[in-house]
Every structure is written in C-alpha cells, then in structure tokens.
Amino acid sequence: MPHPKPVLAVFASFSGSGGVERMLVNLIRGLVDLGQPVELLLVRAEGPHLERLPPEVRQIRLGVDHTQLAIPALARYLRRRRPAALLAAKDRAGRAAVIARALAGTDTRLVLRLGTHLSTAMAERSALARWLRYAPIRVLYPRLDGIVAVSEGVAADTARIARLEPARIRVIRNPVITPELAEQAAAPCPHPWLADGAPVILGAGRLQRQKDFPTLLRAFARVHAERPECRLMILGEGGGRARLERLARELGIGAAVALPGFQHNPYAFIARARQFVLSSAWEGSPNVLTEALALGVPTVATDCPSGPRELLDGGRYGPLVAVGDDQALARAMIATLEAPLPPATLRRAVAAYRQERSAAHYLEVLGLAD
C-alpha cells in the first residue's frame, strides 16, 4: 500500500477578487491534480475565488482579520499538524510564518511566494515608511528556506531589498494557463459590443492607482480621434471608478467607453477583444496580459517594473511604451490594430505559464517532488 503524501500547508489572506487570489487557487488546483494534499490556512476568507477550490482542500479559518494577529494560531497549527512544508503567499504572510515557526519549534520547510515589485510600489512613500517596511524583511527573509518570485524583475528587486544573494530566489512563472481556459473563453458572448464587429480594446484590473487607467483613457481618446469605430472596455472594480467615468466624459469619449465591473469569466471578453492593453505603473507578473497572449489576442503594454518586458520578450510579442506616456501608448495601439501578430505566435510566448508546469516547479522548491 503506497505511503500517503505529506501535507502541504498554504498560508494566505483572501480579501477580494484580485489576481493574487486567483493565481493561488490556480496553483492549489494544479498541486491537487498532481496528487499533493493541501490544507489552506486563511486569515481573511472573502471573494469569489475560494469557490473554485477543489473539495479535497481543507480550509482552516484562523479566526483573525490581520496576518500578524494570526501568528499564535499559525504556531499552534504547525506544532499540532506538523506539515511537511508551508507556502506563504505575500510578504506579510512570509514574515508571520517565520515568527510562527520559531514559536512552534518545528522544522517545517517555509517557502514564500512574492508577486509584487515592492520598491516601485513603495517609491512614493516616505523614507521612514520604506524603512519600516524593509527592516523586517532584512531580518526575517534570511530565515526562509525558499523564496519564489513570479518574474525576474521581482526576484532582482527582492534580492536588493532583502540583501540576499540572487541565487536564494527562484523564479517560477504564474499558473495562468489552466486546463479550462479555452472552454471559459468560448462561453457565450458577454457584451453586445463584442458581438457587433466593432474593434474593442480591452483593459482589466482593479480600478486603482497601480493600473493607471487614466493614461489608458487618454491614449484611447487619441486612438478614437483617428479610429472612431473603436471602443474601450475596462473590466474590474475599485475605488477609482468615479474618477475614470468623469475623465471619460471630460475627454469626450464617454459613449465609447464601458466599465462592466468585475467579471467571474473575463476570458470570454478577452478572447473577443481586438486588442488588450496593459497601462500599469507597476506589476509583479501581469496575469491578465499573460491570459491575453494565451488566447491569441494582440497586446500593448507599458514597460513597467516588472513582467511585461519578460512576457513580451523586449517587444518581440507586442509593443512596450514608457509608463504614463499616453501619446506613445496611443501610437502603439494604432500600430497594433493595423498590423497584429498571428495568434499562434502570441500563444507560443507564454508556454511557460501553464498551471501544471508551475505546480510541478513549486513542489520542487517545497521539497515535495516525487
């Protein structure tokens, strides 16, 4: 009779409908498909992505609403269950896990997954705020057994901040391309604009500063002046909605812009778009850009830190423009509309982002590979 596989614990906080939560569920699904037992330790448990977890995954609510407050409960779990490894999602979870393991006195292997280019996200903060964020990282990250970054840019940024040797950090591509992606993309047409033949340019993400949708609106206003048949659709929800709606009216493009909100199945939108545009000020590894390429949709992206340059191979698979430059973005959008790359070429660019490949690499870092 085969010996049962040791348990992998995943420590995370689900606080909405963002890409981190979606990628974590994709990863867990990939791990379960490979026969790995998973227990998910949750600080917060909000948002639609938890519904996609496989039924085999045991969900454990830690009874607190902040990662640092979860340290005692996490230490008790490690002492009682003694999982073979623990994967922490995000910086705060990783730091809390180091402290919890020390309190538990166990030898659980700790691996941290990082998906944000932190120095760019902190660039506008005060020197004191940056020091308060970086100092614990420099103390606690050396005690981790492994660090996974979602892109080369995130890996290099983390090594600088944590003052670690780059070899301590492994780059593993996000599990973006799932077995069900093609089926989801083929779902019935979700919006009349996507059915009437007009060229729809698509953006997607939380309506917040990081995604810099105001630059996309300004660029689209330039595109619309030359190509009035084009329309712009931005999927997602967030605190910036009112500002974007006001800006669209001020630019005179309100009738050609739609903000349909968060979509459980964005792939039916993406697959039918004429073009996908990423206008972000910073990223870790932009999942929705990866998905657009996987679905064969021509793309344009800002050359933000980090991820787009790696995904687009320096511009080989789509133009890269400076962050915040709406004129350059508009020129790239028009050029891509006029001369799109073949879908097969775009799909080849993201072969490394398949769910099963990513999950297998994570098992290696966690010390759980067969």
Side-chain angles (χ1 to χ4, degrees):
M1 184 175 180
H3 194 276
K5 284 193 173 185
V7 168
L8 165 65
V10 177
F11 177 43
S13 183
F14 277 63
S15 56
S17 57
V20 174
E21 291 88 350
R22 184 155 50 88
M23 286 305 105
L24 196 55
V25 170
N26 284 358
L27 176 59
I28 291 172
R29 288 166 66 99
L31 292 168
V32 169
D33 287 346
L34 292 173
Q36 176 60 53
V38 176
E39 294 184 349
L40 177 59
L41 313 178
L42 289 162
V43 178
R44 298 175 65 182
E46 303 170 6
H49 296 303
L50 286 169
E51 299 171 2
R52 299 176 48 241
L53 282 170
E56 305 96 306
V57 175
R58 181 186 177 204
Q59 298 182 43
I60 301 171
R61 269 52 169 192
L62 296 178
V64 295
D65 60 3
H66 192 281
T67 302
Q68 298 304 307
L69 297 177
I71 290 173
L74 181 58
R76 289 192 295 271
Y77 169 86
L78 293 174
R79 193 180 304 118
R80 183 182 70 253
R81 285 290 286 159
R82 296 186 177 270
L86 184 144
L87 175 65
K90 295 187 182 181
D91 163 56
R92 289 185 176 86
R95 289 187 276 128
V98 170
I99 298 169
R101 181 176 65 173
L103 292 173
T106 65
D107 60 355
T108 305
R109 181 172 177 80
L110 292 185
V111 174
L112 169 62
R113 175 196 181 274
L114 293 172
T116 298
H117 198 272
L118 185 57
S119 67
T120 307
M122 297 291 292
E124 296 184 7
R125 305 289 183 89
S126 68
L128 177 60
R130 290 196 299 272
W131 183 85
L132 290 172
R133 185 69 183 272
Y134 295 165
I137 288 173
R138 289 164 182 162
V139 171
L140 297 174
Y141 276 24
R143 304 183 188 184
L144 291 160
D145 298 303
I147 300 175
V148 172
V150 299
S151 69
E152 300 289 350
V154 169
D157 188 56
T158 301
R160 284 193 300 270
I161 291 171
R163 296 173 179 167
L164 293 172
E165 289 295 322
R168 292 279 310 272
I169 303 170
R170 169 89 177 265
V171 175
I172 301 179
R173 304 302 180 185
N174 272 336
V176 176
I177 306 172
T178 64
E180 62 269 22
L181 180 62
E183 180 181 351
Q184 291 171 316
C189 187
H191 194 282
W193 283 7
L194 297 165
D196 66 8
V200 174
I201 297 168
L202 191 72
R206 286 179 176 168
L207 308 184
Q208 59 187 23
R209 182 172 67 93
Q210 177 190 356
K211 304 302 180 183
D212 194 11
F213 289 128
T215 291
L216 176 55
L217 285 176
R218 294 186 183 97
F220 176 71
R222 295 175 182 277
V223 173
H224 194 256
E226 293 191 28
R227 301 281 297 269
E229 74 278 14
C230 290
R231 295 164 182 169
L232 175 67
M233 190 179 298
I234 301 175
L235 309 182
E237 201 50 81
R241 170 179 282 275
R243 180 190 175 198
L244 294 175
E245 291 173 338
R246 184 169 59 252
L247 180 58
R249 291 193 298 270
E250 291 171 357
L251 292 168
I253 53 174
V257 174
L259 303 175
F262 172 78
Q263 301 295 322
H264 285 277
N265 181 13
Y267 314 112
F269 289 80
I270 296 170
R272 292 172 171 85
R274 189 71 59 89
Q275 179 183 109
F276 180 83
V277 180
L278 183 97
S279 56
S280 297
W282 75 88
E283 290 283 350
S285 178
N287 298 321
V288 69
L289 180 63
T290 312
E291 289 159 346
L293 292 165
L295 293 171
V297 178
T299 66
V300 176
T302 51
D303 193 11
C304 68
S306 62
R309 178 162 288 274
E310 295 173 42
L311 273 164
L312 299 178
D313 193 16
R316 178 182 176 190
Y317 296 110
L320 292 159
V321 303
V323 172
D325 189 338
D326 60 274
Q327 294 185 48
L329 188 60
R331 288 194 298 270
M333 290 161 67
I334 291 170
T336 303
L337 286 169
E338 293 175 350
L341 289 172
T345 299
L346 299 172
R347 293 188 183 102
R348 284 197 298 271
V350 291
Y353 292 78
R354 305 196 74 82
Q355 177 180 286
E356 65 274 15
R357 184 181 297 188
S358 180
H361 289 323
Y362 269 90
L363 288 178
E364 293 171 4
V365 174
L366 290 160
L368 296 172
D370 292 331

